[in-house]
Amino acid sequence: EDFSGLGVERDVVVTEGTGKAYARYVAFTHRKSSEKDIYFVSNQLATDRLLDFNFRITNRIPVIYDASSNNTIKVNSWSSANGRTNMTLKLAPNQSLFILFDGPAKSARSNSGNNWINFKAAQDLSKDWQVKFDSSYGGPSKPVVFNELQDWTKRADTLLKYYSGTAIYSKTFNYTQNIEGKIWIDLGEFSSIASVKLNGIDCGTLWTAPHRLEVSKALRKGENQITIEITNTWGNRLIGDSKLPVDKRITNTT
């Protein structure tokens, strides 16, 4: 079942929960460069998870690399003992990360805080959005007001219910909180890709959890203008077109 009889221990052991039970549905791979050991780890479940990782490597400094944001993140808390390195990571639904073991460690442990950011809510922006759809793709010709954020495929209006393409959400809001330090926007859930502009400044694009973007560079105290472009797949339009006569359809497929 394994190579322990040959003196080869498991490369990665992952546990979770207070009982430190074996964590299922975590994928990994491991490769080496001339300077680094590179682990790729992936949460295979659509839920947030707090996972304890135990790597078969020691006396090396670990750092986290998030390829989706191109950010390298310091590992604040880790420990090495008996030829292995331990750390706890918080992974968003289906999130993956690289763990890089680089230069030699000067000590066998570090304990300077969590290996993730703890957020607190500053302001709720979920109310009163104006949403513009593309009429050439079957959407309504005039902007629609969403008093509450809602999946447009759940709307009764078929122009919204079966719309596929890009919808532009926009609103003006007044920000009165402290703007020092880093501030993020959390988009919750959406399908399938979202691009955010704040006061005309491109803050980035999201397509996978965690659905957060840092907006510190664009946010200002007082009035702010935000636009979020949400684009879904053609599947929704194909479902709507299947209910229409052929000459009224926007899409077709084999």
Side-chain angles (χ1 to χ4, degrees):
E1 295 182 356
D2 58 47
F3 295 109
S4 58
L6 301 176
V8 180
E9 298 181 0
R10 290 180 183 268
D11 192 4
V12 178
V13 177
V14 189
T15 58
E16 66 181 326
T18 54
K20 302 299 182 184
Y22 170 72
R24 301 182 65 195
Y25 307 109
V26 179
F28 83 92
T29 189
H30 174 199
R31 67 184 177 91
K32 292 174 179 281
S33 71
S34 59
E35 299 176 346
K36 297 180 177 70
D37 276 82
I38 303 165
Y39 286 87
F40 174 82
V41 298
S42 172
N43 173 18
Q44 301 283 288
L45 296 180
T47 58
D48 291 298
R49 301 175 76 184
L50 194 63
L51 300 168
D52 295 307
F53 286 86
N54 181 278
F55 299 94
R56 191 183 62 204
I57 192 168
T58 189
N59 299 324
R60 304 285 291 280
I61 299 173
V63 296
I64 298 168
Y65 175 65
D66 183 355
S68 63
S69 64
N70 195 33
N71 287 329
T72 300
I73 306 161
K74 179 183 177 182
V75 180
N76 291 312
S77 293
W78 57 273
S79 62
S80 289
N82 303 317
R84 305 189 69 92
T85 298
N86 299 277
M87 67 186 69
T88 301
L89 301 175
K90 181 182 286 187
L91 294 183
N94 303 117
Q95 185 181 17
S96 59
L97 295 169
F98 289 94
I99 313 300
L100 313 178
F101 288 89
D102 202 350
K106 295 181 180 179
S107 65
R109 66 177 57 247
S110 173
N111 187 17
S112 57
N114 293 327
N115 297 326
W116 57 88
I117 300 173
N118 290 317
F119 294 92
K120 64 177 182 179
Q123 190 165 334
D124 181 5
L125 301 181
S126 64
K127 311 289 186 183
D128 304 325
W129 288 81
Q130 181 173 273
V131 187
K132 184 179 180 181
F133 296 84
D134 191 337
S135 58
S136 64
Y137 287 135
S141 58
K142 295 182 179 180
V144 179
V145 174
F146 281 56
N147 294 320
E148 303 277 347
L149 286 176
Q150 180 190 30
D151 182 348
W152 71 61
T153 69
K154 307 298 184 186
R155 301 283 286 233
D157 186 347
T158 56
L159 295 180
L160 300 178
K161 186 177 180 67
Y162 299 117
Y163 178 80
S164 284
T166 299
I168 304 173
Y169 289 69
S170 61
K171 71 176 296 178
T172 299
F173 66 95
N174 192 46
Y175 190 77
T176 59
Q177 306 296 319
N178 192 336
I179 59 172
E180 294 180 359
K182 292 186 176 182
I183 302 172
W184 303 69
I185 185 169
D186 190 328
L187 300 191
E189 295 188 15
F190 57 86
S191 178
S192 295
I193 190 167
S195 296
V196 178
K197 285 186 177 180
L198 183 59
N199 298 318
I201 299 173
D202 187 349
C203 294
T205 298
L206 293 169
W207 67 94
T208 183
H211 298 139
R212 292 189 296 264
L213 282 172
E214 188 187 348
V215 296
S216 311
K217 63 182 180 181
L219 184 67
R220 58 196 181 207
K221 202 159 190 176
E223 186 174 279
N224 291 265
Q225 174 68 36
I226 186 170
T227 60
I228 304 175
E229 295 186 7
I230 302 284
T231 306
N232 65 350
T233 69
W234 280 114
N236 200 48
R237 182 69 259 166
L238 288 164
I239 292 169
D241 282 353
S242 69
K243 306 175 188 299
L244 299 176
V246 174
D247 61 341
K248 299 292 186 183
R249 297 176 182 176
I250 297 173
T251 59
N252 62 82
T253 186
T254 55

